[in-house]
Amino acid sequence: MKASRIAAVGALAGTTVLALSVPAFAHVSVQPEGTAAKGGYAVVDFKVPNERDNASTTKLEVTFPTDHPLASAMPEPMPGWKIEVTKSKLDKPIEMHGEKISEAVSKITWTAEGKGIEPGYFEKFPVSIGQLPENTDELVFKAIQTYSNKEVVRWIEVPQEGQDEPENPAPVLALSAAADGHHGSSSSDKAADKASDSDDAEAASAKTDAAEPADSSDTTARVLGVVGIVVGALGVAYGVLAGRRRTEA
């Protein structure tokens, strides 16, 4: 009896620990594709795992921050999903590329037109966003996940520094230091520039190499021509002198 009770208590404890640990690793999150530098632009992915084994995720709503509004947010087309971008008027216009923007994206909604995200799968929802603010280290995107059985999970709790992660944390995008010129230059761009410089150098070298043989051959021809003239002149002089000697003899 004691053994069976211990086993039952252990199983219950294990189930409880598992249930409590699920939100820590299986929640809606956001990560940049590369870096998200302050003052620049970035493509970010909202990663949505399906946490249920008896229902599919059929809808995702992501609310954009109002304290640091983003004037530009363009979702990538996704087969099987209807996408709706909602914009709202700003209390205080923001400046972008020298122009004042009076409205910004406040929410993007993805609605499944098919099966959605089935149990055991996850999906990424890419969005190009910018211009990223320079006066904060992170952006909070609150998300609402809806399942095919009408269950709704709100990922809206803002994590606090020094505290445990909440049960339903909101997706948080960490911003890196501003790149030079805000937009910065990626390593691929630098590599392309280097490759271009290398190509230009090789082309110039090739032109130089191609020009050298021509100059060398021209010089050789001139030298040979002068030598020929000199030899010819000497031959004529020798012939004249030889003729005179015969005549005198």
Side-chain angles (χ1 to χ4, degrees):
M1 291 293 291
K2 290 183 180 180
S4 60
R5 288 180 181 178
I6 293 174
V9 171
L12 179 60
T15 304
T16 303
V17 170
L18 180 60
L20 292 175
S21 64
V22 167
F25 62 85
H27 55 75
V28 177
S29 61
V30 59
Q31 291 292 333
E33 294 183 4
T35 59
K38 297 178 182 179
Y41 290 78
V43 175
V44 299
D45 295 326
F46 291 95
K47 183 179 178 181
V48 183
N50 188 42
E51 296 182 295
R52 304 294 180 261
D53 57 6
N54 59 351
S56 298
T57 296
T58 56
K59 188 176 183 180
L60 173 68
E61 299 171 77
V62 175
T63 301
F64 281 61
T66 56
D67 54 344
H68 299 289
L70 299 171
S72 175
M74 296 182 292
E76 181 178 319
M78 295 181 60
W81 294 87
K82 176 184 176 182
I83 306 174
E84 181 181 358
V85 179
T86 303
K87 292 187 176 182
S88 300
K89 292 287 184 180
L90 297 175
D91 295 333
K92 182 180 179 181
I94 58 176
E95 189 170 331
M96 183 175 174
H97 300 306
E99 297 183 3
K100 287 189 175 181
I101 308 297
S102 59
E103 66 176 14
V105 174
S106 56
K107 183 172 68 173
I108 297 183
T109 303
W110 291 265
T111 304
E113 296 179 323
K115 295 181 179 180
I117 308 174
E118 298 184 82
Y121 292 87
F122 76 91
E123 195 153 356
K124 291 181 179 180
F125 297 78
V127 182
S128 174
I129 61 175
Q131 186 171 351
L132 298 174
E134 299 181 64
N135 57 347
T136 184
D137 294 327
E138 62 183 27
L139 293 175
V140 178
F141 299 87
K142 296 183 178 181
I144 299 177
Q145 183 178 10
T146 302
Y147 289 90
S148 56
N149 59 2
K150 307 304 180 183
E151 179 187 1
V152 176
V153 180
R154 302 177 183 276
W155 305 99
I156 60 174
E157 299 178 51
V158 181
Q160 301 296 326
E161 187 176 355
Q163 298 183 11
D164 294 337
E165 185 179 62
E167 184 177 355
N168 295 308
V172 178
L173 175 67
L175 303 181
S176 60
D180 294 339
H182 295 313
H183 297 289
S185 57
S186 65
S187 57
S188 59
D189 291 336
K190 293 179 180 178
D193 291 340
K194 290 181 179 179
S196 178
D197 293 341
S198 177
D199 290 343
D200 292 342
E202 289 179 2
S205 177
K207 290 181 180 178
T208 302
D209 293 341
E212 286 179 355
D215 294 341
S216 178
S217 59
D218 289 343
T219 301
T220 302
R222 290 173 184 174
V223 171
L224 292 176
V226 172
V227 171
I229 293 173
V230 172
V231 171
L234 291 175
V236 171
Y238 178 79
V240 171
L241 291 173
R244 287 180 180 179
R245 289 177 180 176
R246 290 175 183 175
T247 303
E248 291 175 354

